[in-house]
Amino acid sequence: MKTEKLYKIAEELNIRLDFFPLPLNKSVAVSLNDRYYIALDPRQVTSPARERVCLAHELGHCETGSFYNAYSPFDVRAKHEQKADKWAIEKLVPLDELKTALKEGYADNAALADLFSVTEDFIDKALKYYADK
C-alpha cells in the first residue's frame, strides 16, 4: 500500500491528521468524542519509511478501535499495540508479496525494508508476526 493510500484512508474516515512535536512518542492516535485524531512528530519522523510505518500503525489503532488508557496495565497496552501492528503489517507488507520477495532472493532485512519502503525494525516485526501466524 502506498503512502498516499494511507493518507486517503485517514481522509475517508474523517481522521484529523496533524504534525507537531510530541515529547514522548514519534506518533500518537487518540479517540475523543467519537472522532479519531493522529499526530506525527516531524522531528522524529525523519524518513518516508518511518512516516509510512508510524502512520500505518496509528491508522491501525483507529481501524481496529485499539485504544487504551495511559494508566492501563502493560498487558492491556500490549494487546492494543499488537492489534495496531497487525493491521499495519498486513497493509504495508502483505504476506503474498513478502513470500514473492523472499523467493526472488531478498534475503536480508535491509533489502526487504527498502523494497517495502518501511523501516528495518518494521520488517523484523513483520517477519516475526508471519512466522508466528
Side-chain angles (χ1 to χ4, degrees):
M1 176 179 294
K2 294 185 181 228
T3 304
E4 295 79 24
K5 177 64 176 166
L6 295 171
Y7 282 101
K8 186 73 171 162
I9 290 170
E11 182 182 326
E12 289 169 356
L13 295 174
N14 199 27
I15 297 171
R16 175 148 182 199
L17 181 62
D18 214 336
F19 296 85
F20 55 83
L22 297 167
L24 302 175
N25 300 300
K26 292 179 211 65
S27 59
V28 65
V30 295
S31 174
L32 296 170
N33 301 323
D34 297 323
R35 288 220 40 213
Y36 297 132
Y37 302 84
I38 294 175
L40 301 173
D41 185 343
R43 295 176 308 167
Q44 297 184 66
V45 179
T46 55
S47 71
R50 187 167 301 284
E51 176 185 7
R52 283 172 48 76
V53 168
C54 289
L55 180 55
H57 175 83
E58 301 309 340
L59 281 171
H61 280 293
C62 298
E63 285 281 78
T64 63
S66 297
F67 295 95
Y68 55 86
N69 179 309
Y71 304 104
S72 297
F74 179 76
D75 62 332
V76 171
R77 291 177 68 178
K79 287 179 185 177
H80 289 292
E81 292 298 332
Q82 288 172 348
K83 282 184 182 181
D85 281 342
K86 176 186 173 195
W87 189 92
I89 289 166
E90 291 177 355
K91 298 300 181 201
L92 299 183
V93 186
L95 181 57
D96 58 331
E97 291 179 29
L98 178 60
K99 285 180 180 179
T100 299
L102 292 171
K103 286 178 186 174
E104 291 176 355
Y106 289 87
D108 62 71
N109 286 10
L112 288 167
D114 189 49
L115 177 67
F116 287 99
S117 301
V118 297
T119 63
E120 287 184 50
D121 289 342
F122 190 79
I123 281 293
D124 187 52
K125 193 178 284 189
L127 291 169
K128 287 176 183 172
Y129 167 72
Y130 288 127
D132 290 343
K133 193 175 176 183

